[in-house]
């Protein structure tokens, strides 16, 4: 009998019910199950067949393994020498959508049984961003060490902020994307359009679980400033995104963040936030992450924040949200 993901798993993020399992593509998407037994095995498919998707494995809330999902292999023995007792297993997609989509097709525990899944966390957080939000290169050992294996969403500020707030976190992030333009100036597949035109319809029509965030963070602008830009164009598109979010999630607290790789958009974004607050009684909050200081903050891949810097960002962001909203 195939594992019943709908009944026996707690899903974190955005999942789609497939005929033979459940699939996900966003970074940080995860499933948590509980079982009583000594061993557990998962069947996972690399949908794209490129072998660039990686998964974090946690047993009883402890990280036990990092796995590359091999296109030529679908069966993964996750543990075989556990105490014969109740356990919790979490499988988290640590890489962004550009590195592939995963499909979880089965879970088994020989001579054991699956139990009811844990309850979801009490809060809901949505973070929209670029490579910084995805944790791109945060585990890099050398400056240009930026392949998929060095991206760990669990240690990105986005995931850590959710942990600090005890919140289920939906991370909509993609490297190179911007609000008005992407890295280098392209306006194709901008994150603002991607969120409004792809992710939200997906949530409404295909997602297994509804998601109604209490807090929403936008961190877009770093890639916008990678090529010549008129700030007014950035602000017009940013306002369009904010208006969409406000209409879709009218009760959510909105945080407009920038940094820590480039603060060029900062004064323009701060002015926009001030204007938005004058125009409406729905508050919008501005957050500026200080620029990366080297060598104090360490160095991630390709100029991105290190694990240390990500934690600093998460502490700042979670502290700000607590101060203003709790």
């Amino acid at each position: 009998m195939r594992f019943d993901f709908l009944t026996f798993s707690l899903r974190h993020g955005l999942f789609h019910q497939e005929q033979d399992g459940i699939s996900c593509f966003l970074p940080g998407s995860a499933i948590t199950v509980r079982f009583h037994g000594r061993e557990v095995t998962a069947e996972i498919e690399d949908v794209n067949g490129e072998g660039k998707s990686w998964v974090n494995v946690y047993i009883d809330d402890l990280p036990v393994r990092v796995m590359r999902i091999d296109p030529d292999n679908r069966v993964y023995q996750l543990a075989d020498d556990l105490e014969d007792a109740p356990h919790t297993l979490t499988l988290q997609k640590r890489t962004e959508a550009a590195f592939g989509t995963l499909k979880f097709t089965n879970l088994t525990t020989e001579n054991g049984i699956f139990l009811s899944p844990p309850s979801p966390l009490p809060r809901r957080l949505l973070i929209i961003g670029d490579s910084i939000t995805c944790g791109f290169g945060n585990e890099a050992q050398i400056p240009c060490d930026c392949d998929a294996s060095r991206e760990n969403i669990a240690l990105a500020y986005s995931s850590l902020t959710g942990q600090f707030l005890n919140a289920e976190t939906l991370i909509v992030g993609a490297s190179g994307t911007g609000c008005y333009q992407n890295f280098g100036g392209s306006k194709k597949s901008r994150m603002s359009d991607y969120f409004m035109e792809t992710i939200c319809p997906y949530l409404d029509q295909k997602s297994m679980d509804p998601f109604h965030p209490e807090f929403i963070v936008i961190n877009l602008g770093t890639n916008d400033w990678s090529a010549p830009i008129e700030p007014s164009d950035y602000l017009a598109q940013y306002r369009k995104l904010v208006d969409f979010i406000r209409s879709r999630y009218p009760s959510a607290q909105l945080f407009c963040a920038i940094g820590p790789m480039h603060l060029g958009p900062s004064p323009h974004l701060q002015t926009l936030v001030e204007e938005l607050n004058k125009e409406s009684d729905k508050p919008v909050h501005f957050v500026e992450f200080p620029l990366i200081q080297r060598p104090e903050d360490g160095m991630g891949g390709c100029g991105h924040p290190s694990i240390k810097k990500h934690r600093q960002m998460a502490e700042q962001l979670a502290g700000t949200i607590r101060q203003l909203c709790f």
Side-chain angles (χ1 to χ4, degrees):
M1 180 180 294
R2 307 295 287 183
F3 182 79
D4 184 350
F5 288 94
L6 185 63
T7 302
F8 289 104
S9 72
L10 171 62
R11 296 162 298 280
H12 315 273
L14 193 160
F15 279 86
H16 179 225
Q17 180 79 61
E18 306 282 358
Q19 190 172 19
D20 56 346
I22 60 175
S23 63
C24 64
F25 56 92
L26 292 177
S29 300
I31 59 171
T32 298
V33 302
R34 295 177 62 247
F35 66 97
H36 190 294
R38 298 182 58 86
E39 63 83 40
V40 63
T41 299
E43 294 182 20
I44 310 172
E45 178 183 346
D46 174 13
V47 175
N48 303 73
E50 297 179 355
K52 295 181 179 180
S53 289
W54 291 71
V55 169
N56 290 321
V57 181
Y58 301 86
I59 294 181
D60 298 332
D61 298 323
L62 297 175
V64 297
R65 187 175 176 186
V66 175
M67 303 190 312
R68 184 181 75 89
I69 305 306
D70 188 339
D72 299 322
N73 178 42
R74 294 191 182 185
V75 180
Y76 299 87
Q77 180 81 51
L78 305 179
D80 60 4
D81 59 352
L82 299 172
E83 180 184 359
D84 190 14
H87 300 283
T88 300
L89 166 71
T90 296
L91 300 173
Q92 179 190 50
K93 187 176 187 293
R94 59 182 267 151
T95 45
E96 61 187 281
F99 292 129
T101 294
L102 294 181
K103 182 163 63 174
F104 298 90
T105 56
N106 202 18
L107 289 171
T108 57
T109 175
E110 188 174 354
N111 299 320
I113 59 170
F114 286 99
L115 309 171
S116 297
S119 300
L121 298 176
R123 300 187 176 94
R124 299 288 184 276
L125 170 68
L126 166 64
I127 300 188
I128 305 166
D130 51 30
S131 57
I132 301 168
T133 296
C134 296
F136 182 86
N138 60 352
E139 287 192 340
Q141 303 299 310
I142 56 176
C144 293
D145 188 10
C146 295
D147 65 22
S149 68
R150 303 307 183 188
E151 181 174 283
N152 185 359
I153 192 65
L155 299 179
Y157 84 91
S158 47
S159 287
L160 293 173
T161 299
Q163 291 178 33
F164 294 159
L165 296 175
N166 200 27
E168 294 287 347
T169 305
L170 176 61
I171 300 169
V172 182
S175 292
T177 55
C179 186
Y180 172 72
Q181 62 183 11
N182 298 330
F183 184 81
S186 170
K187 298 173 183 61
K188 183 179 180 181
S189 301
R190 303 177 295 192
M191 177 52 68
S192 53
D193 297 328
Y194 179 65
F195 177 74
M196 292 187 286
E197 298 172 7
T198 300
I199 295 300
C200 287
Y202 199 103
L203 279 167
D204 295 338
Q205 299 165 19
K206 297 182 179 180
S207 178
M208 293 178 66
D209 309 290
F211 191 85
H212 303 290
E214 300 167 63
F215 318 106
I216 300 174
V217 179
I218 305 171
N219 186 1
L220 293 172
T222 299
N223 290 308
D224 291 87
W225 255 252
S226 69
I229 187 173
E230 288 293 333
S232 59
D233 291 332
Y234 168 74
L235 295 177
Q237 184 67 12
Y238 205 109
R239 179 183 281 270
K240 179 181 177 182
L241 177 60
V242 169
D243 289 345
F244 175 87
I245 288 172
R246 279 176 153 178
S247 64
R248 182 178 173 89
Y249 303 112
S251 62
Q253 293 282 341
L254 179 59
F255 294 80
C256 299
I258 193 65
M261 292 177 67
H262 199 306
L263 296 182
S266 186
H268 309 289
L269 183 55
Q270 190 166 15
T271 298
L272 175 61
V273 168
E274 292 170 356
E275 293 174 356
L276 291 168
N277 283 323
K278 290 177 182 177
E279 296 167 6
S280 173
D281 59 358
K282 297 178 181 178
V284 181
H285 311 287
F286 176 73
V287 179
E288 181 180 276
F289 297 117
L291 288 172
I292 300 168
Q293 300 296 314
R294 298 189 177 98
E296 297 92 333
D297 293 338
M299 179 185 294
C302 303
H304 286 71
S306 64
I307 290 173
K308 178 181 178 181
K309 184 63 176 179
H310 273 284
R311 189 169 189 87
Q312 293 171 359
M313 294 167 64
E315 290 170 349
Q316 177 187 347
L317 180 57
T320 300
I321 293 174
R322 284 197 201 95
Q323 181 182 3
L324 294 173
C325 303
F326 290 13

